[in-house]
Amino acid sequence: PRLCTVITSLDEKCLDKANISDIIEVRIDIIGESWTSIAGRLKRPWIACNRRKEEGGMWYGDEERRVKELLKALQLGAEYVDIELLSPQINMAPWVSFCMGEMGIVSRILSPFFGSKFTYTSTDEGLESAAGQVSIENLREFYKIFQETLESW
C-alpha cells in the first residue's frame, strides 16, 4: 500500500522520514508561514493542505489568503491540494477515504486494500496531524508482517 506521510513541523528528522514515504502532505495550517522553506527539499510528490478551523485545521486567516497559500504550493511543486468536501469551489476527483479518530485506526490501515489511493501516516508517534494516525515506521512494519503472513499461507 502507498503511504502518505504528513509533515506538521520544519524538523529535519520529520522531513527525512517523510521523504521515504510514497507521497507527502504538507500541513500549511499547522506549520505556519515558514512552510515554503521545505518545498524545495521534498523528494516525493506532495499534497498541500491548508485546513480551516471549521474543518478541524489551524488556519485562522481569511479564505482569500488560505486559497493564495494553496495556489502558491502548486507553483512550488505540489501535485495535489487537499480540500474538505465542504470547501467551496470543489472539483470532484479520486478520493482517499477512511474513518477518523482512535476508532478509525483499522480503516486507516485497511483503506488501501479497499480502493483508497493511499493512507496517511505521521512522521513519528506524537506528531500526528489527526487522531488515529499511525506513524510511517509502525505502518510499514505492520504491512511487512501482513505481507509475510500472507506469503507463508
Side-chain angles (χ1 to χ4, degrees), residues 73-91:
L74 290 171
Q75 292 172 341
L76 293 173
E79 292 193 26
Y80 308 96
V81 172
D82 177 332
I83 56 174
E84 296 297 309
L85 286 176
L86 299 176
S87 292
Q89 303 170 340
I90 181 172
N91 291 323

Side-chain angles (χ1 to χ4, degrees), residues 69-151:
E69 290 298 308
L70 291 170
L71 293 173
K72 185 189 303 182
L74 290 171
Q75 292 172 341
L76 293 173
E79 292 193 26
Y80 308 96
V81 172
D82 177 332
I83 56 174
E84 296 297 309
L85 286 176
L86 299 176
S87 292
Q89 303 170 340
I90 181 172
N91 291 323
M92 298 311 284
W95 293 12
V96 174
S97 181
F98 49 82
C99 298
M100 299 291 286
E102 295 300 317
M103 297 292 289
I105 292 174
V106 172
S107 74
R108 284 179 175 272
I109 293 169
L110 296 178
S111 64
F113 298 103
F114 293 96
S116 190
K117 296 289 184 188
F118 54 83
T119 192
Y120 287 91
T121 65
S122 66
T123 54
D124 216 339
E125 290 182 34
L127 296 175
E128 299 84 2
S129 64
Q133 206 169 63
V134 180
S135 75
I136 186 172
E137 290 172 345
N138 288 343
L139 200 49
R140 281 222 166 128
E141 182 64 21
F142 173 84
Y143 288 150
K144 178 182 172 199
I145 292 169
F146 184 74
Q147 182 67 35
E148 290 169 354
T149 302
L150 287 177
E151 291 171 358

Side-chain angles (χ1 to χ4, degrees), residues 35-48:
W35 74 268
T36 57
S37 67
I38 63 167
R41 300 187 341 239
L42 301 173
K43 297 177 182 172
R44 299 284 189 252
W46 60 284
I47 301 168

